[in-house]
Amino acid sequence: MKIKWCVIGAAGIADRRTIPALVADENNQLCAVMDKVADAAKAVGEKYGVPYYTDAEQMLKEVACDAVYIATPVFCHREQALLALKYDRNVLIEKPIARTEAESAEILDAFKKAGKQLSVGYMMKYHSLHQKARNFIKKDKVGQVTNVRLQFSCWYPDIPGAWRQIKELGGGGALMDLGVHCLELAEYILDEEIVDIKSFVNTQTFKYEVEDSAVMIFKTKSGTLGHIDVNFNIPDDVSVAKLEIYGTKGYMICNNTLAQDDVGTMAYLYAPQGDYDAMQEHAIIKPKKFRASGKNIYAKQLAEFSKHVLAGKPNYKYAKRAVHIQALCDKMYAEQ
Ligand SMILES: NC(=O)c1ccc[n+]([C@@H]2O[C@H](COP(=O)([O-])OP(=O)(O)OC[C@H]3O[C@@H](n4cnc5c(N)ncnc54)[C@H](O)[C@@H]3O)[C@@H](O)[C@H]2O)c1
Protein backbone atom coordinates (compact mmCIF):
# COMPACT_ATOMS: atom_id res chain seq x y z
CA MET A 1 0.00 0.00 0.00
CA LYS A 2 1.22 3.50 -0.83
CA ILE A 3 1.15 6.35 1.67
CA LYS A 4 -0.66 9.29 0.11
CA TRP A 5 0.80 12.70 0.96
CA CYS A 6 -0.24 16.34 0.92
CA VAL A 7 2.33 19.06 1.50
CA ILE A 8 1.83 22.35 3.34
CA GLY A 9 4.53 24.94 2.58
CA ALA A 10 5.61 23.41 -0.71
CA ALA A 11 8.19 25.76 -2.15
CA GLY A 12 11.09 25.73 0.33
CA ILE A 13 12.89 22.67 1.70
CA ALA A 14 9.84 20.63 0.62
CA ASP A 15 10.55 21.28 -3.05
CA ARG A 16 14.32 21.15 -2.63
CA ARG A 17 14.58 17.88 -0.71
CA THR A 18 11.54 16.10 0.68
CA ILE A 19 9.18 16.06 -2.31
CA PRO A 20 11.88 14.73 -4.68
CA ALA A 21 12.55 11.91 -2.18
CA LEU A 22 8.84 11.28 -1.81
CA VAL A 23 8.02 11.04 -5.51
CA ALA A 24 11.04 8.77 -6.12
CA ASP A 25 9.81 6.22 -3.59
CA GLU A 26 7.39 3.54 -4.74
CA ASN A 27 5.78 3.36 -1.27
CA ASN A 28 4.82 7.03 -1.25
CA GLN A 29 2.58 9.11 -3.48
CA LEU A 30 2.32 12.88 -3.70
CA CYS A 31 -1.36 13.88 -4.02
CA ALA A 32 -1.41 17.67 -3.67
CA VAL A 33 0.63 20.64 -2.54
CA MET A 34 -0.21 23.90 -0.84
CA ASP A 35 1.73 27.12 -0.43
CA LYS A 36 0.39 30.48 0.67
CA VAL A 37 2.19 32.11 -2.27
CA ALA A 38 0.01 31.36 -5.31
CA ASP A 39 2.81 31.38 -7.90
CA ALA A 40 4.91 29.08 -5.72
CA ALA A 41 2.04 26.64 -5.21
CA LYS A 42 1.39 26.59 -8.96
CA ALA A 43 5.05 26.10 -9.84
CA VAL A 44 5.48 23.16 -7.44
CA GLY A 45 2.11 21.61 -8.37
CA GLU A 46 2.91 21.75 -12.07
CA LYS A 47 6.45 20.48 -11.54
CA TYR A 48 5.16 17.28 -9.92
CA GLY A 49 1.88 17.07 -11.84
CA VAL A 50 -0.44 17.34 -8.81
CA PRO A 51 -3.25 19.70 -7.79
CA TYR A 52 -2.09 22.82 -5.95
CA TYR A 53 -3.74 25.03 -3.39
CA THR A 54 -3.21 28.25 -1.47
CA ASP A 55 -5.60 27.20 1.32
CA ALA A 56 -4.51 24.27 3.51
CA GLU A 57 -7.98 23.50 4.84
CA GLN A 58 -9.47 23.39 1.35
CA MET A 59 -6.75 20.93 0.29
CA LEU A 60 -7.36 18.73 3.33
CA LYS A 61 -11.14 18.74 2.66
CA GLU A 62 -10.80 17.92 -1.02
CA VAL A 63 -7.82 15.56 -1.21
CA ALA A 64 -7.86 12.12 0.35
CA CYS A 65 -4.46 11.48 1.90
CA ASP A 66 -2.88 9.55 4.77
CA ALA A 67 -0.19 12.00 5.74
CA VAL A 68 0.70 15.67 5.62
CA TYR A 69 4.23 17.02 5.44
CA ILE A 70 4.47 20.51 6.97
CA ALA A 71 7.44 22.60 5.85
CA THR A 72 6.39 26.14 6.66
CA PRO A 73 8.07 28.76 8.87
CA VAL A 74 8.19 27.66 12.50
CA PHE A 75 5.41 29.99 13.74
CA CYS A 76 2.92 28.15 11.46
CA HIS A 77 3.70 24.62 12.69
CA ARG A 78 1.33 24.38 15.67
CA GLU A 79 -1.73 25.68 13.87
CA GLN A 80 -1.12 23.62 10.71
CA ALA A 81 -0.34 20.40 12.58
CA LEU A 82 -3.58 20.74 14.55
CA LEU A 83 -5.45 21.52 11.34
CA ALA A 84 -4.13 18.35 9.70
CA LEU A 85 -5.14 16.41 12.80
CA LYS A 86 -8.66 17.87 12.61
CA TYR A 87 -8.84 16.08 9.24
CA ASP A 88 -7.49 12.90 10.83
CA ARG A 89 -4.10 12.93 9.11
CA ASN A 90 -0.69 11.67 10.21
CA VAL A 91 1.92 14.42 10.20
CA LEU A 92 5.62 14.78 9.48
CA ILE A 93 6.53 18.28 10.57
CA GLU A 94 9.79 20.07 9.87
CA LYS A 95 12.24 20.90 12.64
CA PRO A 96 12.01 22.55 15.09
CA ILE A 97 8.61 21.09 15.96
CA ALA A 98 7.45 24.53 17.19
CA ARG A 99 8.78 27.71 18.81
CA THR A 100 8.51 26.69 22.46
CA GLU A 101 8.10 23.60 24.63
CA ALA A 102 4.51 24.61 25.40
CA GLU A 103 3.52 24.81 21.70
CA SER A 104 5.41 21.61 20.94
CA ALA A 105 3.87 19.66 23.81
CA GLU A 106 0.41 20.81 22.74
CA ILE A 107 0.99 19.31 19.29
CA LEU A 108 2.35 16.03 20.67
CA ASP A 109 -0.46 15.64 23.22
CA ALA A 110 -3.10 16.18 20.53
CA PHE A 111 -1.56 13.52 18.27
CA LYS A 112 -1.19 11.05 21.11
CA LYS A 113 -4.83 11.55 22.08
CA ALA A 114 -5.93 11.00 18.48
CA GLY A 115 -3.56 8.05 17.93
CA LYS A 116 -2.07 9.57 14.77
CA GLN A 117 1.59 9.38 13.81
CA LEU A 118 3.68 12.49 14.47
CA SER A 119 7.35 12.77 13.53
CA VAL A 120 9.73 15.71 13.18
CA GLY A 121 12.12 16.35 10.29
CA TYR A 122 15.42 15.87 12.09
CA MET A 123 16.83 13.96 9.15
CA MET A 124 20.50 13.96 10.20
CA LYS A 125 19.99 10.80 12.23
CA TYR A 126 19.48 8.97 8.92
CA HIS A 127 23.01 9.84 7.76
CA SER A 128 24.96 6.61 7.35
CA LEU A 129 27.98 7.80 9.36
CA HIS A 130 25.84 9.11 12.22
CA GLN A 131 24.15 5.72 12.34
CA LYS A 132 27.59 4.07 12.30
CA ALA A 133 28.76 6.31 15.15
CA ARG A 134 25.74 5.33 17.23
CA ASN A 135 26.36 1.63 16.52
CA PHE A 136 30.04 1.94 17.36
CA ILE A 137 29.17 3.41 20.76
CA LYS A 138 26.72 0.57 21.39
CA LYS A 139 29.46 -1.95 20.46
CA ASP A 140 31.91 -0.30 22.88
CA LYS A 141 34.27 0.70 20.07
CA VAL A 142 35.25 3.98 21.74
CA GLY A 143 34.71 2.92 25.35
CA GLN A 144 32.86 5.21 27.71
CA VAL A 145 31.96 8.38 25.81
CA THR A 146 33.49 11.26 27.71
CA ASN A 147 33.28 14.23 25.37
CA VAL A 148 31.20 15.21 22.34
CA ARG A 149 31.58 18.30 20.18
CA LEU A 150 29.39 19.51 17.32
CA GLN A 151 29.96 22.44 15.01
CA PHE A 152 27.44 23.67 12.45
CA SER A 153 27.44 27.01 10.71
CA CYS A 154 26.57 28.97 7.59
CA TRP A 155 26.43 32.53 6.26
CA TYR A 156 23.04 34.13 6.87
CA PRO A 157 23.21 37.90 6.46
CA ASP A 158 20.45 40.45 7.02
CA ILE A 159 17.49 39.82 4.70
CA PRO A 160 14.63 42.25 5.44
CA GLY A 161 11.45 40.35 6.34
CA ALA A 162 13.07 36.89 6.49
CA TRP A 163 11.08 34.84 9.02
CA ARG A 164 14.21 33.21 10.51
CA GLN A 165 15.46 36.65 11.53
CA ILE A 166 12.30 37.61 13.47
CA LYS A 167 11.99 36.05 16.93
CA GLU A 168 8.20 35.89 16.84
CA LEU A 169 8.24 33.94 13.55
CA GLY A 170 11.25 31.64 13.86
CA GLY A 171 11.41 31.31 17.63
CA GLY A 172 15.10 32.23 17.63
CA GLY A 173 18.18 32.40 15.44
CA ALA A 174 21.22 30.17 15.00
CA LEU A 175 20.39 28.19 18.12
CA MET A 176 16.80 27.51 17.04
CA ASP A 177 17.66 26.81 13.41
CA LEU A 178 21.04 25.00 13.53
CA GLY A 179 21.49 24.25 17.23
CA VAL A 180 18.37 22.09 17.44
CA HIS A 181 19.82 19.77 14.76
CA CYS A 182 22.97 19.35 16.85
CA LEU A 183 21.05 18.72 20.07
CA GLU A 184 18.86 16.10 18.43
CA LEU A 185 21.80 14.43 16.75
CA ALA A 186 23.77 14.32 20.00
CA GLU A 187 20.85 12.64 21.80
CA TYR A 188 20.35 10.22 18.91
CA ILE A 189 24.00 9.17 18.66
CA LEU A 190 24.52 8.93 22.41
CA ASP A 191 21.08 7.37 22.81
CA GLU A 192 20.41 9.33 25.96
CA GLU A 193 19.00 12.63 27.11
CA ILE A 194 20.79 15.87 27.73
CA VAL A 195 19.89 16.66 31.34
CA ASP A 196 21.58 20.03 31.77
CA ILE A 197 22.64 22.74 29.37
CA LYS A 198 24.07 26.23 29.46
CA SER A 199 24.73 28.67 26.65
CA PHE A 200 25.89 32.01 25.40
CA VAL A 201 24.02 33.53 22.49
CA ASN A 202 25.01 36.69 20.70
CA THR A 203 24.08 38.89 17.76
CA GLN A 204 27.56 39.91 16.85
CA THR A 205 27.75 40.45 13.10
CA PHE A 206 24.27 41.17 11.75
CA LYS A 207 21.47 43.60 12.63
CA TYR A 208 18.59 41.16 13.03
CA GLU A 209 16.96 40.62 16.41
CA VAL A 210 17.72 36.89 16.74
CA GLU A 211 21.16 35.50 17.61
CA ASP A 212 23.71 34.98 14.84
CA SER A 213 25.91 32.83 17.07
CA ALA A 214 25.51 30.46 20.00
CA VAL A 215 27.70 28.21 22.11
CA MET A 216 26.24 25.49 24.29
CA ILE A 217 27.75 23.16 26.87
CA PHE A 218 25.76 20.22 28.15
CA LYS A 219 25.75 17.10 30.28
CA THR A 220 23.94 13.85 29.48
CA LYS A 221 22.22 11.48 31.86
CA SER A 222 25.25 9.15 32.05
CA GLY A 223 27.65 12.05 32.53
CA THR A 224 29.04 12.65 29.04
CA LEU A 225 29.95 16.32 28.61
CA GLY A 226 29.32 18.07 25.30
CA HIS A 227 29.92 21.28 23.43
CA ILE A 228 27.97 22.70 20.48
CA ASP A 229 28.67 25.82 18.49
CA VAL A 230 26.43 27.20 15.79
CA ASN A 231 26.92 30.32 13.72
CA PHE A 232 25.08 32.30 11.07
CA ASN A 233 28.16 34.51 10.69
CA ILE A 234 30.78 32.15 9.26
CA PRO A 235 30.96 32.09 5.43
CA ASP A 236 29.77 28.86 3.82
CA ASP A 237 33.23 28.14 2.44
CA VAL A 238 34.74 28.61 5.88
CA SER A 239 32.11 26.53 7.69
CA VAL A 240 33.23 23.14 8.90
CA ALA A 241 30.39 20.84 9.88
CA LYS A 242 32.00 18.63 12.45
CA LEU A 243 31.00 15.98 14.95
CA GLU A 244 33.61 14.66 17.35
CA ILE A 245 33.11 11.86 19.84
CA TYR A 246 35.87 10.97 22.29
CA GLY A 247 35.84 8.04 24.64
CA THR A 248 38.08 6.09 27.00
CA LYS A 249 39.20 3.78 24.17
CA GLY A 250 39.03 5.83 20.98
CA TYR A 251 37.48 8.54 18.91
CA MET A 252 35.15 9.09 15.96
CA ILE A 253 35.52 12.33 14.06
CA CYS A 254 32.95 13.04 11.37
CA ASN A 255 33.80 15.76 8.88
CA ASN A 256 31.09 17.51 6.88
CA THR A 257 28.40 14.99 7.76
CA LEU A 258 25.99 17.57 9.22
CA ALA A 259 24.45 18.14 5.83
CA GLN A 260 21.39 17.57 3.67
CA ASP A 261 23.18 14.81 1.76
CA ASP A 262 24.78 11.61 3.00
CA VAL A 263 28.28 12.98 2.47
CA GLY A 264 31.51 13.39 4.41
CA THR A 265 33.87 11.07 6.21
CA MET A 266 34.43 9.53 9.59
CA ALA A 267 37.86 8.93 11.08
CA TYR A 268 37.81 6.19 13.70
CA LEU A 269 40.63 5.44 16.09
CA TYR A 270 40.77 2.62 18.62
CA ALA A 271 43.65 3.13 21.04
CA PRO A 272 42.92 2.03 24.59
CA GLN A 273 45.60 2.80 27.12
CA GLY A 274 46.70 1.06 30.31
CA ASP A 275 48.97 3.02 32.58
CA TYR A 276 49.54 6.72 32.85
CA ASP A 277 52.34 7.78 30.51
CA ALA A 278 54.26 10.55 32.22
CA MET A 279 56.60 10.98 29.22
CA GLN A 280 53.68 11.58 26.86
CA GLU A 281 55.72 10.08 24.04
CA HIS A 282 53.28 8.23 21.93
CA ALA A 283 53.35 7.37 18.27
CA ILE A 284 50.70 8.93 16.05
CA ILE A 285 48.32 6.17 15.03
CA LYS A 286 46.48 6.52 11.75
CA PRO A 287 42.70 6.33 12.16
CA LYS A 288 40.54 4.15 9.96
CA LYS A 289 38.52 6.16 7.41
CA PHE A 290 34.88 5.53 6.56
CA ARG A 291 33.00 7.20 3.73
CA ALA A 292 29.32 8.14 3.67
CA SER A 293 26.94 5.88 1.75
CA GLY A 294 25.44 8.63 -0.41
CA LYS A 295 21.89 7.38 0.25
CA ASN A 296 19.07 9.91 0.42
CA ILE A 297 18.48 10.76 4.09
CA TYR A 298 15.07 12.34 3.39
CA ALA A 299 13.96 9.10 1.73
CA LYS A 300 15.08 7.14 4.79
CA GLN A 301 13.14 9.54 7.02
CA LEU A 302 9.99 9.07 4.91
CA ALA A 303 10.45 5.29 4.93
CA GLU A 304 10.53 5.15 8.73
CA PHE A 305 7.50 7.43 9.00
CA SER A 306 5.54 5.34 6.49
CA LYS A 307 6.44 2.14 8.32
CA HIS A 308 4.71 3.41 11.47
CA VAL A 309 1.67 4.61 9.52
CA LEU A 310 1.33 1.30 7.66
CA ALA A 311 1.69 -0.67 10.90
CA GLY A 312 -1.13 1.43 12.37
CA LYS A 313 1.03 1.84 15.46
CA PRO A 314 2.05 5.44 16.07
CA ASN A 315 5.55 5.88 17.41
CA TYR A 316 6.24 9.11 19.26
CA LYS A 317 9.88 8.63 20.22
CA TYR A 318 11.21 11.28 17.84
CA ALA A 319 8.36 13.71 18.50
CA LYS A 320 8.98 13.36 22.25
CA ARG A 321 12.65 14.10 21.72
CA ALA A 322 11.73 17.13 19.58
CA VAL A 323 9.61 18.48 22.46
CA HIS A 324 12.47 17.89 24.87
CA ILE A 325 14.83 19.82 22.54
CA GLN A 326 12.43 22.78 22.70
CA ALA A 327 12.49 22.58 26.51
CA LEU A 328 16.29 22.87 26.36
CA CYS A 329 15.96 25.87 24.01
CA ASP A 330 13.40 27.52 26.33
CA LYS A 331 15.85 27.14 29.22
CA MET A 332 18.76 28.57 27.26
CA TYR A 333 16.81 31.59 26.00
CA ALA A 334 15.35 32.24 29.46
CA GLU A 335 18.83 32.29 30.98
CA GLN A 336 20.26 34.96 28.65
N1 LIG B 1 15.35 19.31 7.70
C1 LIG B 1 15.90 20.12 6.81
O1 LIG B 1 16.76 19.72 6.04
C2 LIG B 1 15.46 21.55 6.75
C3 LIG B 1 16.13 22.45 5.90
C4 LIG B 1 15.64 23.75 5.78
C5 LIG B 1 14.51 24.13 6.51
N2 LIG B 1 13.93 23.23 7.35
C6 LIG B 1 12.75 23.60 8.12
O2 LIG B 1 11.64 23.63 7.20
C7 LIG B 1 10.75 24.67 7.55
C8 LIG B 1 10.65 25.63 6.36
O3 LIG B 1 11.92 26.17 6.10
P1 LIG B 1 12.33 26.63 4.61
O4 LIG B 1 13.79 26.85 4.63
O5 LIG B 1 11.76 25.71 3.62
O6 LIG B 1 11.59 28.03 4.56
P2 LIG B 1 11.22 28.85 3.27
O7 LIG B 1 10.84 30.19 3.73
O8 LIG B 1 12.30 28.70 2.26
O9 LIG B 1 9.95 28.06 2.67
C9 LIG B 1 8.76 28.01 3.37
C10 LIG B 1 7.61 27.89 2.41
O10 LIG B 1 6.40 27.97 3.16
C11 LIG B 1 5.53 28.91 2.53
N3 LIG B 1 4.67 29.48 3.58
C12 LIG B 1 4.94 30.47 4.44
N4 LIG B 1 3.90 30.65 5.26
C13 LIG B 1 2.96 29.75 4.92
C14 LIG B 1 1.69 29.43 5.39
N5 LIG B 1 1.15 30.08 6.43
N6 LIG B 1 1.02 28.42 4.80
C15 LIG B 1 1.56 27.76 3.76
N7 LIG B 1 2.75 28.03 3.24
C16 LIG B 1 3.47 29.00 3.83
C17 LIG B 1 6.44 29.92 1.88
O11 LIG B 1 5.76 30.61 0.83
C18 LIG B 1 7.57 29.05 1.39
O12 LIG B 1 7.29 28.53 0.11
C19 LIG B 1 11.30 25.29 8.82
O13 LIG B 1 10.73 24.67 9.92
C20 LIG B 1 12.79 24.98 8.74
O14 LIG B 1 13.43 24.95 10.00
C21 LIG B 1 14.37 21.96 7.46
Side-chain angles (χ1 to χ4, degrees):
M1 192 192 124
K2 282 189 181 199
I3 300 288
K4 294 182 174 159
W5 289 85
C6 283
V7 173
I8 297 179
I13 189 67
D15 180 38
R16 288 194 300 275
R17 296 289 182 173
T18 309
I19 299 177
L22 201 160
V23 296
D25 181 3
E26 57 185 22
N27 296 318
N28 289 301
Q29 182 186 345
L30 181 67
C31 295
V33 296
M34 176 269 168
D35 198 285
K36 73 160 192 184
V37 177
D39 287 350
K42 182 172 186 290
V44 180
E46 286 179 352
K47 181 171 172 183
Y48 299 102
V50 295
Y52 49 89
Y53 294 81
T54 51
D55 183 317
E57 185 148 16
Q58 192 192 345
M59 174 176 72
L60 294 170
K61 273 185 191 159
E62 291 180 9
V63 182
C65 70
D66 308 295
V68 177
Y69 169 60
I70 297 173
T72 48
V74 187
F75 74 98
C76 305
H77 290 184
R78 178 193 154 276
E79 192 186 317
Q80 290 170 340
L82 297 179
L83 178 69
L85 188 62
K86 181 176 148 193
Y87 287 89
D88 224 20
R89 307 291 158 74
N90 301 286
V91 165
L92 172 62
I93 194 165
E94 263 309 333
K95 50 60 60 178
I97 175 171
R99 290 171 295 187
T100 60
E101 182 193 12
E103 272 191 351
S104 309
E106 188 185 344
I107 299 173
L108 175 59
D109 288 348
F111 276 76
K112 276 163 102 177
K113 221 171 264 167
K116 289 286 161 186
Q117 178 63 32
L118 174 72
S119 292
V120 182
Y122 285 111
M123 77 304 174
M124 289 192 191
K125 59 178 161 288
Y126 298 97
H127 190 293
S128 60
L129 293 177
H130 299 156
Q131 296 186 331
K132 191 181 280 299
R134 179 179 152 109
N135 284 339
F136 273 22
I137 291 171
K138 287 203 182 307
K139 290 181 179 158
D140 196 33
K141 284 176 175 272
V142 290
Q144 180 184 45
V145 179
T146 50
N147 189 8
V148 178
R149 299 162 60 119
L150 296 100
Q151 228 182 16
F152 193 26
S153 54
C154 66
W155 186 250
Y156 192 49
D158 290 285
I159 304 169
W163 62 265
R164 274 188 183 81
Q165 301 182 357
I166 300 166
K167 175 89 178 164
E168 181 62 20
L169 306 186
L175 192 162
M176 188 62 93
D177 194 51
L178 306 176
V180 292
H181 268 303
C182 298
L183 292 165
E184 209 267 345
L185 191 55
E187 289 203 348
Y188 166 75
I189 290 177
L190 299 172
D191 197 17
E192 61 170 342
E193 270 199 2
I194 291 168
V195 291
D196 199 6
I197 191 154
K198 297 188 178 2
S199 69
F200 279 111
V201 308
N202 198 11
T203 311
Q204 184 190 11
T205 307
F206 300 119
K207 292 195 185 66
Y208 40 73
E209 61 173 340
V210 297
E211 72 281 356
D212 58 21
S213 30
V215 175
M216 299 162 240
I217 48 170
F218 64 83
K219 186 177 180 180
T220 69
K221 202 170 177 184
S222 76
T224 300
L225 299 183
H227 176 132
I228 294 173
D229 40 77
V230 285
N231 290 73
F232 275 164
N233 49 359
I234 296 180
D236 293 338
D237 287 338
V238 181
S239 294
V240 180
K242 204 157 187 169
L243 162 68
E244 301 170 58
I245 300 162
Y246 299 92
T248 52
K249 295 180 188 167
Y251 71 55
M252 294 179 281
I253 299 180
C254 295
N255 274 308
N256 297 314
T257 56
L258 281 83
Q260 295 182 354
D261 290 302
D262 194 310
V263 291
T265 56
M266 179 169 101
Y268 166 62
L269 180 70
Y270 184 74
Q273 183 171 345
D275 295 334
Y276 170 58
D277 175 9
M279 289 299 286
Q280 292 287 301
E281 284 176 345
H282 51 96
I284 293 174
I285 312 169
K286 253 192 152 178
K288 198 170 170 185
K289 267 255 170 102
F290 294 95
R291 295 208 172 279
S293 75
K295 293 206 171 121
N296 187 314
I297 55 180
Y298 296 87
K300 284 165 90 177
Q301 175 169 264
L302 287 165
E304 183 166 8
F305 182 94
S306 303
K307 190 183 81 188
H308 296 312
V309 174
L310 286 172
K313 268 194 195 160
N315 183 312
Y316 301 111
K317 87 181 148 181
Y318 297 143
K320 278 186 195 158
R321 189 188 292 147
V323 175
H324 164 68
I325 299 301
Q326 292 320 120
L328 297 176
C329 292
D330 280 4
K331 175 180 185 293
M332 288 188 277
Y333 283 128
E335 285 175 358
Q336 299 306 313

